């Protein structure tokens, strides 16, 4: 047999590889249907596995030995590299093939026990001295390890690459060379700027902490998950981890960019190392992304979570993933906006928006006992607030949401009520937003019965309506008559309270300014002298407001008197049915039980003074607004 060093090379004919050694082949190795016609001496001398298989087959006394290597790491291409090494060819290691060659050498047991400086030791030396010291080489090595993951994991190749990448991501990138995405025609492989091919020694500095996001996006979902967990264990900042996860998700979930305000438009491109994006299953990716997200809150992070929930509803992920996303959103609901919650209904439901999902989010907001912290102060979207402030923000948000979805003709009254009572009464200092939402709902649903309208109106606390809202409600024809009377009653109470306050303020300000008593008489005199013009101006404004209020009270009393007169006229026109309860029933009022008709006569005697009739229930002004309002 000719010496190994004088072998001219290998050539292929169809599915067969031949070695031009000048001697006939005496061993055939089959790898994934490709036949390698080789010689036993070079293989047996360096491959302990083939030597053992050959010794076990000596009893057959077959002149030509044939064996098939099942599940060979790297396939026929990697076996060809190992075969060339056995024949004395120089093997060129690269970051793309080092992992598969290392795994193949381990599979063939090409250790130093059979031959000094064998393929395993050379592969291991190149991997530690070259690959682990460069960011780009680690990325290439990880991406090429997909076909040999179990063996590479056993050889600790993956863990070493992941640890090296996590360490470099937490350190100044200029110490390890620039990432692949920044290699261009104006830079040397070390990151120095080139001028006419000459290294100037100047380096491009980057203060951004997201320089490694794009490179990691070329890894598969499994490797990306392991790398993020390794970085988290090393102490990577949560906002950086969240940024990498969000970048990866936006790249492989195209629908996610629609709700991110165009943040995914600035996608970096690899200029020198052409890597192909990993093939991912979007459903598996979304479930993996949800598990990797940190328990933090932030404005843009909340928006990302809502977008992730929208995509999850489209893809039909498991219930655990959807429930977790809804819980995460609910725990930072005060940072959400109205357009975030307008989630379309992707199921066969008749409603336009997914109100059930939003209701569960509000429920998580109220029942969640875990308090999550915001990202570090270095993050640009940090927003903190007290619990009471968060509750008020969410109350405004839910009122705006109800007003937005109220125009859906298929939305049932029960759903409106469940959304409105999702928050306690103390969360709304004013009920103007809730009244506006119900008014929009009544306008879009004119076929609602008076009973349904009254049940919805019972949600509103009329004492928390502003003067403008009361004025609008008192003239709103879409409201039931009983509700309008309640509004008129509370509006009159508010006007009288405001009028009394103004009169007290006027009496106090218009009192003669005498010498002040007390230890600070001189200071009081200076204050009175300097503030006289201001007080006079404020008194004038208060008098104008008082005149307007008197005018408004007069109008309300006149309108209330007309209602009383109309009730009298209806009573007289139906003298045969003289019961005041039948009259009240015709106009939609509910009577309180009375022991005798004498009390009804008393009411008729006082009908000519509407102010007195309004003052009568004033003693119970602090009663719940949901109680029945009676005119008698």
């Amino acid at each position: 047999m000719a010496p190994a060093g004088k072998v001219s090379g290998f050539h292929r004919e169809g599915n067969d590889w031949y070695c031009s050694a000048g001697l006939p082949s005496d061993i055939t190795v089959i790898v994934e249907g490709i036949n390698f016609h080789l010689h036993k001496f070079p293989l047996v001398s360096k491959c302990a596995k083939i030597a053992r298989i050959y010794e076990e087959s000596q009893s057959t006394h077959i002149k030509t030995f044939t064996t098939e290597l099942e599940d060979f790491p790297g396939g026929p291409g990697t076996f060809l590299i190992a075969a060339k090494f056995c024949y004395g060819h120089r093997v060129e290691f690269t970051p793309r093939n080092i992992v598969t060659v290392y795994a193949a050498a381990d599979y063939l047991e090409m250790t130093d026990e059979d031959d000094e400086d064998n393929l395993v030791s050379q592969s291991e030396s190149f991997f530690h001295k070259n690959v682990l010291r460069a960011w780009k080489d680690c990325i290439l090595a990880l991406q090429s390890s997909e076909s040999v993951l179990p063996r590479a994991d056993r050889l600790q190749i993956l863990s070493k690459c992941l640890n090296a990448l996590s360490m470099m991501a937490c350190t100044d990138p200029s110490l390890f060379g620039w990432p692949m995405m920044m290699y261009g025609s104006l830079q040397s492989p070390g990151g120095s700027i080139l001028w006419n091919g000459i290294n100037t020694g100047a380096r491009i500095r980057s203060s951004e902490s997201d320089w490694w996001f794009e490179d990691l996006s070329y890894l598969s979902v499994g490797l990306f998950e392991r790398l993020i967990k390794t970085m988290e264990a090393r102490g990577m900042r949560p906002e950086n981890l969240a940024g990498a996860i969000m970048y990866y998700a936006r790249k492989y979930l195209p629908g996610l960019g629609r709700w991110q305000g165009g943040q995914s438009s600035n996608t970096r491109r690899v200029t020198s190392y052409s890597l192909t994006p990993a093939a991912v299953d979007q459903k598996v990716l979304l479930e993996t992304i949800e598990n990797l997200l940190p328990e933090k809150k932030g404005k843009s992070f909340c928006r990302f979570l809502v977008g992730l929930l929208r995509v999850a509803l489209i893809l039909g992920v498991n219930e655990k993933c959807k429930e977790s996303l809804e819980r995460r959103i609910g725990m930072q609901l005060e940072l959400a906006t109205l357009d975030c919650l307008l989630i379309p209904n992707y199921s066969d439901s008749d409603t336009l928006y997914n109100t059930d999902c939003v209701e569960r989010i509000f429920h998580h907001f109220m029942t969640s006992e875990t308090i999550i912290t915001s990202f570090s102060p270095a993050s640009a979207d940090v927003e903190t607030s007290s619990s009471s402030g968060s509750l008020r923000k969410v109350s405004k948000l839910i009122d705006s949401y109800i007003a937005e979805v109220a125009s859906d003709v298929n939305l049932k009254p029960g759903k409106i009520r469940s959304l409105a009572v999702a928050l306690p009464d103390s969360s709304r200092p004013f009920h103007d937003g809730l009244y506006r939402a119900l008014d929009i709902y009544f306008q879009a649903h004119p076929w609602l019965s008076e009973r349904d309208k009254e049940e919805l109106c019972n949600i509103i606390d009329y004492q928390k309506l502003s003067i403008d809202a009361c004025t609008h409600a008192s003239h709103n024809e879409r409201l039931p008559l009983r509700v309008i009377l309640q509004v008129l009653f509370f509006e009159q109470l508010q006007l009288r309270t405001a009028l009394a306050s103004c009169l007290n303020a006027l009496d106090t300000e218009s009192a003669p300014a005498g010498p002040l008593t007390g230890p600070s008489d001189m200071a009081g005199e200076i204050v009175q002298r300097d503030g006289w013009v201001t007080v006079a101006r404020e008194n004038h404004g208060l008098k104008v407001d008082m005149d307007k209020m008197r005018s408004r009270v007069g109008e309300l009393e006149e309108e209330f008197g007309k209602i009383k007169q109309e009730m009298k006229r209806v009573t007289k026109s139906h003298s045969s049915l003289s019961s005041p309860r039948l009259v009240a029933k015709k106009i939609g009022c509910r009577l309180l039980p009375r022991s005798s008709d004498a009390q009804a006569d008393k009411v008729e005697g006082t009908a000519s003074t509407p102010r007195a009739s309004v003052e009568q229930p004033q003693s119970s002004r602090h009663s719940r607004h949901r109680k029945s309002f009676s005119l008698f």
Side-chain angles (χ1 to χ4, degrees):
M1 177 178 175
K6 295 184 179 180
V7 176
S8 59
F10 289 78
H11 65 279
R12 182 174 182 174
E13 297 178 2
N15 290 333
D16 298 284
W17 278 93
Y18 295 93
C19 177
S20 302
L23 295 175
S25 172
D26 54 359
I27 183 172
T28 302
V29 180
I30 304 174
V31 178
E32 297 182 4
I34 303 299
N35 303 318
F36 291 87
H37 303 277
L38 306 174
H39 303 87
K40 64 181 180 182
F41 178 74
L43 296 181
V44 171
S45 62
K46 293 183 180 295
C47 303
K49 184 179 182 66
I50 294 181
R52 185 172 60 255
I53 296 175
Y54 180 76
E55 290 178 359
E56 293 174 355
S57 63
Q58 287 298 309
S59 59
T60 59
H61 302 289
I62 300 176
K63 188 174 182 180
T64 302
F65 172 69
T66 302
T67 183
E68 182 176 1
L69 302 179
E70 298 180 355
D71 300 327
F72 186 81
T78 306
F79 181 80
L80 180 62
I81 295 176
K84 288 181 178 181
F85 178 83
C86 294
Y87 279 88
H89 283 239
R90 181 177 178 273
V91 176
E92 182 180 359
F93 296 112
T94 65
R96 293 182 183 274
N97 67 10
I98 184 60
V99 178
T100 54
V101 172
Y102 194 173
D106 179 75
Y107 178 90
L108 295 173
E109 301 176 12
M110 300 174 68
T111 61
D112 292 344
E113 296 179 0
D114 299 299
D115 184 72
E116 187 178 355
D117 196 20
N118 211 337
L119 187 57
V120 170
S121 60
Q122 291 190 20
S123 302
E124 186 177 5
S125 177
F126 180 84
F127 177 74
H128 284 87
K129 292 181 179 180
N130 298 90
V131 175
L132 293 181
R133 296 184 179 183
W135 170 273
K136 58 180 177 60
D137 294 340
C138 280
I139 294 292
L140 290 172
L142 275 180
Q143 194 183 41
S144 62
S145 65
E146 291 290 340
S147 59
V148 293
L149 279 179
R151 187 171 294 271
D153 203 5
R154 184 176 61 82
L155 294 173
Q156 297 183 353
I157 297 176
L158 295 183
S159 60
K160 292 177 181 179
C161 282
L162 296 175
N163 288 328
L165 288 174
S166 61
M167 180 184 65
M168 286 185 277
C170 297
T171 316
D172 184 4
S174 62
L175 300 177
F176 302 94
W178 293 94
M180 293 178 296
M181 64 184 179
M182 301 187 71
Y183 276 74
S185 58
L186 297 178
Q187 295 181 21
S188 67
S192 300
I193 301 176
L194 299 180
W195 179 77
N196 289 341
I198 302 174
N199 191 346
T200 62
R203 283 181 176 272
I204 296 179
R205 296 285 179 177
S206 176
S207 59
E208 296 181 358
S209 60
D210 59 348
W211 56 268
W212 45 276
F213 290 179
E214 173 67 14
D215 294 341
L216 264 59
S217 66
Y218 286 92
L219 300 178
S220 64
V221 178
L223 290 176
F224 179 79
E225 179 182 11
R226 294 185 59 174
L227 181 54
I228 292 296
K229 290 182 178 179
T230 305
M231 289 181 173
E232 183 180 6
R234 186 170 285 273
M236 175 72 74
R237 294 167 58 184
E239 55 267 26
N240 290 343
L241 292 177
I245 296 171
M246 293 163 66
Y247 191 96
Y248 191 91
R250 292 187 184 114
K251 184 171 184 176
Y252 293 104
L253 297 175
L256 192 61
R258 300 178 183 177
W259 303 284
Q260 302 305 311
Q263 298 180 16
S264 59
S265 58
N266 298 327
T267 304
R268 300 181 179 93
R269 300 296 179 184
V270 176
T271 58
S272 188
Y273 289 83
S274 56
L275 292 176
T276 56
V280 299
D281 185 344
Q282 292 186 342
K283 187 175 180 179
V284 175
L285 169 62
L286 199 148
E287 295 173 355
T288 304
I289 289 297
E290 191 278 324
N291 290 326
L292 292 177
L293 291 173
E295 290 286 345
K296 295 288 184 178
K297 67 178 181 179
K299 217 169 202 178
S300 61
F301 187 61
C302 179
R303 190 175 185 86
F304 170 77
L305 289 175
V306 175
L308 212 60
L309 178 60
R310 291 171 183 256
V311 179
L313 294 174
I314 296 175
L315 296 178
V317 299
N318 57 60
E319 293 297 328
K320 181 180 179 182
C321 179
K322 288 189 291 186
E323 195 275 337
S324 179
L325 287 173
E326 293 171 356
R327 178 186 59 83
R328 289 174 180 268
I329 298 171
M331 293 172 68
Q332 50 188 312
L333 190 58
E334 71 274 9
L335 303 178
T337 56
L338 177 59
D339 59 327
C340 290
L341 297 184
L342 294 177
I343 303 175
N345 205 335
Y346 303 106
S347 61
D348 297 332
S349 177
D350 296 333
T351 57
L352 182 62
Y353 297 103
N354 195 336
T355 54
D356 295 334
C357 177
V358 175
E359 185 178 357
R360 290 193 296 269
I361 291 175
F362 283 111
H363 177 72
H364 286 301
F365 172 77
M366 292 302 304
T367 59
S368 178
E369 298 180 356
T370 305
I371 300 177
I372 59 176
T373 58
S374 301
F375 289 105
S376 65
S379 180
D381 55 3
V382 174
E383 183 174 330
T384 57
S385 58
S386 60
S387 57
S388 60
S390 300
L391 196 61
R392 292 190 177 185
K393 288 182 180 179
V394 174
S395 66
K396 292 181 180 179
L397 182 63
I398 194 171
D399 290 345
S400 301
Y401 178 80
I402 298 175
E404 190 68 27
V405 303
S407 57
D408 187 358
V409 295
N410 294 321
L411 195 61
K412 303 300 182 183
K415 180 57 63 176
I416 290 288
R417 182 179 182 84
S418 60
L419 287 172
V421 300
L423 299 180
D425 294 338
S426 59
S427 63
R428 293 183 176 93
F430 296 99
H431 279 209
D432 290 8
L434 190 58
Y435 164 71
R436 172 179 171 270
L438 293 182
D439 185 43
I440 295 175
Y441 184 75
F442 293 156
Q443 186 176 4
H445 301 75
W447 55 84
L448 284 178
S449 63
E450 295 294 315
R451 179 184 180 86
D452 292 337
K453 289 183 178 181
E454 289 185 3
E455 289 181 354
L456 290 177
C457 289
N458 286 337
I459 305 171
I460 303 176
D461 186 353
Y462 300 105
Q463 299 184 60
K464 292 185 178 182
L465 290 179
S466 64
I467 295 294
D468 295 335
C470 287
T471 304
H472 185 277
S474 62
H475 296 83
N476 193 345
E477 297 179 354
R478 290 182 289 271
L479 298 179
L481 179 59
R482 174 176 168 271
V483 174
I484 295 177
L485 293 177
Q486 286 183 349
V487 172
L488 289 172
F489 170 70
F490 286 110
E491 182 184 21
Q492 196 173 42
L493 290 181
Q494 290 185 14
L495 289 174
R496 291 191 175 187
T497 304
L499 182 60
S501 301
C502 290
L503 292 175
N504 292 334
L506 285 174
D507 293 340
T508 303
E509 296 294 340
S510 61
L516 298 178
T517 60
S520 57
D521 293 341
M522 185 61 67
E525 291 178 1
I526 295 174
V527 171
Q528 282 188 347
R529 191 186 313 116
D530 295 339
W532 182 257
V533 178
T534 304
V535 170
R537 188 181 299 110
E538 292 179 353
N539 287 343
H540 179 70
L542 290 173
K543 288 180 180 179
V544 174
D545 294 339
M546 185 182 66
D547 293 337
K548 292 181 179 179
M549 289 183 182
R550 286 198 184 100
S551 176
R552 178 58 183 163
V553 170
E555 293 177 0
L556 291 175
E557 290 178 348
E558 183 180 356
E559 185 175 356
F560 207 68
K562 290 180 179 179
I563 294 176
K564 289 289 187 177
Q565 292 177 3
E566 182 67 18
M567 292 173 60
K568 281 186 176 183
R569 188 184 63 81
V570 173
T571 304
K572 292 179 180 180
S573 62
H574 296 78
S575 56
S576 58
L577 301 174
S578 60
S579 174
R581 297 183 175 274
L582 296 178
V583 177
K585 186 176 181 181
K586 290 178 179 293
I587 64 173
C589 298
R590 188 175 62 184
L591 295 177
L592 298 176
R594 293 290 182 263
S595 58
S596 65
D597 295 337
Q599 295 176 346
D601 297 337
K602 180 180 179 181
V603 172
E604 291 180 0
T606 60
S608 59
T609 59
R611 180 183 295 271
S613 64
V614 176
E615 290 177 350
Q616 181 179 354
Q618 188 172 358
S619 60
S620 60
R621 58 182 296 184
H622 297 292
S623 61
R624 295 295 297 172
H625 63 279
R626 293 186 178 88
K627 293 183 179 180
S628 301
F629 180 79
S630 177
L631 293 175
F632 298 92

